[in-house]
Amino acid sequence: MESLFWLHGEPQATGTLKASADDFRVVEDLGFAPDGDGEHLLVQVRKRGCNTSFVAEALAKFARIPARAVSYAGLKDRHAVTEQWFCLHLPGKVLPDFSTFALEGCEILNSARHRRKLRIGALRGNQFTLTLRNISDRAAVEARLAVIAEQGVPNYFGSQRFGRDGNNLIQAARWARDEIRVSERSKRSFYLSASRSALFNLIVSQRLSQRLATQVLAGDALQLAGRGSWFVANEDELAALQTRVDKRELCVTAPLPGDGDPGTQGDALAFEQRCLVGHETLLGLLRRERVEVARRAALLYPQQMCWSWLEDASVTLDFWLPAGSFATSVVRELITPLEQMDIAD
């Protein structure tokens, strides 16, 4: 992450991220309400000091169902206070009495029947409340906050995607070179996800360094704001498309590489191919494992962003991010952390 380009220049102010779990709060926004009936049970949990899979296993044990019968929309940080939904498959079964559920650091907030299984990525976004402490330069942070609220930040995958000390990437490279065998499904998923995320970050960094993050190239894959769909920019429409990007109706995307057509053409495709030169090991792994290509917006715009200063050189930030985006990527553009708790889930 240290080598990635900053959109607004490297921050001059320092501060502490996650002095305690209470300084990093996340509330999951599914974007829908439970149906009220069905063979699944949605359970909302507030957790502290527990990772998502640990809580899922505890819920399965409590409900006396297999671990595979419990799902969730996404992982949440262990060293934080987070609210998220879990989905228990309970067809024809009596609902558990969650008043007797006991797991240190966890509290059941709500539960309701639902017709469909909750799957990875099936959420609208997350609401974050972060407190940054020991701010060295209040004026610099205040100015940078205003810029971020207006111009956004790079939509980088955060360091937690790559594991402690980048271990997921290290193991992915060893797997690609056939130095290890990876049979465990969760490890395969982590290693492949880390590989494509690192390559995405690399391409976004290169676009930023060349001032191309919001510049439409011929053949770019442009995403409709707030939606996952995208289309290719034709050369004869560049002026009109550039106007729509400037108005944030459209977003320039970068690839999550895999096996298949990356979606771009012409100048944009040539640019992405140049960025990936020298990274054939990870690319080869993604193709070998038939990972599907996807696209992701290059820039991220925090929504409903506001902040307030505390008396002890601390600032509390509130903002909403769409699913798959990282609050730590917002913080990266704001301060250089003095110290940080381990944020890998």
Side-chain angles (χ1 to χ4, degrees):
M1 293 296 292
E2 293 81 4
S3 63
L4 298 177
F5 200 84
W6 282 271
L7 178 60
H8 308 298
E10 186 172 357
Q12 299 305 303
T14 58
T16 302
L17 172 65
K18 285 193 174 184
S20 70
D22 289 297
D23 287 348
F24 201 102
R25 293 179 171 267
V26 188
V27 177
E28 189 174 67
D29 176 9
L30 291 181
F32 61 85
D35 296 324
D37 62 81
E39 62 183 31
H40 300 277
L41 181 70
L42 293 182
V43 181
Q44 188 182 33
V45 177
R46 179 186 294 128
K47 66 183 186 65
R48 177 201 309 260
C50 304
N51 67 31
T52 299
S53 58
F54 178 74
V55 176
E57 290 170 4
L59 288 170
K61 183 176 181 180
F62 181 80
R64 298 182 179 179
I65 57 177
R68 66 178 180 276
V70 179
S71 62
Y72 41 82
L75 299 175
K76 294 290 184 289
D77 292 333
R78 174 188 300 174
H79 298 297
V81 178
T82 66
E83 296 179 16
Q84 74 175 116
W85 291 87
F86 293 82
C87 181
L88 283 63
H89 191 210
L90 298 169
K93 295 186 179 182
V94 177
L95 297 185
D97 178 9
F98 285 109
S99 66
T100 62
F101 178 77
L103 182 65
E104 185 177 358
C106 288
E107 175 187 0
I108 304 295
L109 301 179
N110 195 10
S111 63
R113 283 281 188 179
H114 195 59
R115 296 190 185 99
R116 295 165 307 221
K117 177 181 179 179
L118 185 61
R119 299 184 183 278
I120 291 291
L123 72 160
R124 179 170 173 264
N126 294 285
Q127 180 69 38
F128 293 90
T129 301
L130 312 184
T131 299
L132 309 178
R133 303 191 183 276
N134 305 312
I135 299 299
S136 65
D137 188 334
R138 174 169 173 166
V141 169
E142 180 73 26
R144 185 60 70 95
L145 281 166
V147 172
I148 289 173
E150 172 62 25
Q151 300 179 21
V153 299
N155 197 16
Y156 292 138
F157 288 92
S159 58
Q160 55 266 55
R161 175 58 59 94
F162 308 111
R164 185 175 288 107
D165 298 323
N167 185 63
N168 289 346
L169 273 181
I170 294 170
Q171 297 305 317
R174 295 185 63 205
W175 181 20
R177 295 190 294 265
D178 292 324
E179 295 174 3
I180 59 172
R181 295 183 63 186
V182 183
S183 55
E184 188 176 329
R185 184 175 180 180
S186 62
K187 288 185 178 180
R188 293 172 66 92
S189 177
F190 285 141
Y191 299 164
L192 293 172
S193 179
S195 299
R196 67 208 303 249
S197 298
L199 296 175
F200 170 89
N201 281 0
L202 172 68
I203 293 171
V204 171
S205 181
Q206 288 295 313
R207 286 199 78 130
L208 289 172
S209 69
Q210 298 183 40
R211 303 294 188 266
L212 295 174
T214 57
Q215 178 66 47
V216 182
L217 302 176
D220 254 330
L222 301 178
Q223 185 181 70
L224 297 168
R227 298 172 63 183
S229 57
W230 53 268
F231 63 92
V232 176
N234 294 323
E235 192 162 7
D236 58 355
E237 299 175 327
L238 291 185
L241 294 173
Q242 185 63 59
T243 298
R244 295 183 66 188
V245 168
D246 294 341
K247 292 180 178 179
R248 296 188 192 167
E249 296 175 4
L250 300 173
C251 303
V252 174
T253 68
L256 290 161
D259 181 41
D261 184 352
T264 44
Q265 301 173 9
D267 294 344
L269 177 59
F271 175 85
E272 292 173 358
Q273 290 174 334
R274 288 195 299 272
C275 291
L276 294 174
V277 171
H279 298 277
E280 287 77 14
T281 298
L282 293 181
L283 285 170
L285 175 66
L286 294 169
R287 291 168 183 149
R288 187 182 77 190
E289 297 300 317
R290 306 298 297 273
V291 176
E292 186 176 355
V293 177
R295 306 290 306 186
R296 173 182 169 96
L299 294 183
L300 169 66
Y301 298 98
Q303 298 182 25
Q304 298 125 39
M305 188 171 184
C306 60
W307 57 91
S308 59
W309 288 90
L310 308 178
E311 296 180 356
D312 59 346
S314 301
V315 62
T316 296
L317 317 177
D318 285 282
F319 53 87
W320 183 93
L321 297 180
S325 302
F326 288 75
T328 48
S329 294
V330 177
V331 174
R332 182 181 183 271
E333 286 281 327
L334 183 61
I335 61 169
T336 299
L338 291 171
E339 56 183 284
Q340 184 171 313
M341 294 175 65
D342 182 6
I343 58 176
D345 196 17

